[in-house]
Amino acid sequence: KAGVTQTPRYLIKTRGQQVTLSCSPISGHRSVSWYQQTPGQGLQFLFEYFSETQRNKGNFPGRFSGRQFSNSRSEMNVSTLELGDSALYLCASSYVGSGSPLHFGNGTRLTVT
Amino acid sequence: GDSVTQMEGPVTLSEEAFLTINCTYTATGYPSLFWYVQYPGEGLQLLLKATKADDKGSNKGFEATYRKETTSFHLEKGSVQVSDSAVYFCAPRGGSQGNLIFGKGTKLSVKP
């Protein structure tokens, strides 16, 4: 089975721009979660989608949004980028249920200048 | 809300030394517990899991036991190798929030 695929792998943007990151989950996984990883804050939960609906959301401003398509692929969007948005963004997919582990992609490294 | 506390790193060990990384959590309900490992430049990989009290998760020589009475899930390995050098994350899932809650991670360096 192919793993979780995130594109692009690296991205450089300037302040004020917007960005869209893409995630293709493992086949059969219908839940997709997004995390932001920074050296200072560690891993922080952004949101989770299941069946095209946002099920859970972390404490991030409204500039961070996401969506999920009928094939379970997901995108996240960050508008009006700030320097502090520079981070590794990780996508993870899983089956539903707290006992199901999340399977992570290798992430998208976003640098905002 | 739910939270997890991991021992602060970095941890530096010699090859074949014994490893313990402490992890305690607070969560409502009955979370499942996971350990993830992150190698440089990569995403997180599942190392092991336990879904109920007294369950022992194990993989690649690593072990952790779900201790409900002490709300702990300490990671152990009897003999570490240089290739075990990575950052390790403890993460409960479930409880009041449903998503994975990560600790700050413990960086392990193993010297030959």
Side-chain angles (χ1 to χ4, degrees):
Chain A
K1 249 184 191 179
V4 176
T5 303
Q6 291 188 248
T7 56
R9 191 73 200 274
Y10 300 94
L11 210 46
I12 300 175
K13 292 286 187 178
T14 56
R15 277 178 297 175
Q17 288 187 313
Q18 76 163 19
V19 67
T20 299
L21 312 181
S22 181
C23 172
S24 293
I26 290 172
S27 177
H29 287 183
R30 294 171 63 193
S31 172
V32 174
S33 300
W34 289 88
Y35 286 81
Q36 181 196 64
Q37 186 177 28
T38 59
Q41 298 299 316
L43 280 154
Q44 293 187 285
F45 172 70
L46 281 155
F47 26 65
E48 180 195 4
Y49 285 87
F50 174 73
S51 290
E52 302 177 64
T53 302
Q54 189 180 87
R55 282 210 311 178
N56 208 349
K57 188 177 188 305
N59 294 322
F60 278 81
R63 300 184 297 107
F64 292 81
S65 63
R67 60 178 176 167
Q68 187 181 33
F69 302 96
S70 58
N71 61 359
S72 294
R73 193 176 69 84
S74 178
E75 289 181 347
M76 69 163 280
N77 184 277
V78 189
S79 62
T80 320
L81 284 166
E82 300 176 0
L83 294 179
D85 296 334
S86 295
L88 181 66
Y89 289 88
L90 292 165
C91 169
S93 72
S94 73
Y95 295 113
V96 176
S98 65
S100 299
L102 270 61
H103 297 266
F104 286 82
N106 282 332
T108 293
R109 172 75 63 187
L110 173 64
T111 302
V112 182
T113 62
Chain B
D2 300 350
S3 66
V4 58
T5 303
Q6 274 182 248
M7 62 186 289
E8 295 285 330
V11 174
T12 302
L13 296 173
S14 297
E15 208 165 21
E16 299 184 3
F18 184 84
L19 168 71
T20 299
I21 300 177
N22 290 335
C23 169
T24 57
Y25 65 92
T26 58
T28 56
Y30 211 140
S32 295
L33 303 174
F34 301 87
W35 276 99
Y36 282 84
V37 58
Q38 187 175 33
Y39 298 99
E42 297 184 12
L44 278 71
Q45 297 178 24
L46 175 67
L47 183 58
L48 53 82
K49 72 171 191 176
T51 57
K52 59 182 188 294
D54 300 324
D55 260 4
K56 178 185 280 188
S58 61
N59 186 25
K60 299 181 182 179
F62 291 90
E63 294 183 340
T65 301
Y66 192 143
R67 301 290 187 200
K68 192 170 190 302
E69 65 278 8
T70 55
T71 62
S72 65
F73 194 51
H74 305 321
L75 182 68
E76 296 182 335
K77 186 174 186 181
S79 177
V80 294
Q81 306 300 312
V82 173
S83 57
D84 294 327
S85 297
V87 181
Y88 292 82
F89 294 91
C90 179
R93 184 183 189 192
S96 64
Q97 292 163 260
N99 50 283
L100 271 177
I101 306 294
F102 285 95
K104 292 204 176 290
T106 302
K107 183 174 183 179
L108 170 67
S109 295
V110 181
K111 306 298 184 189

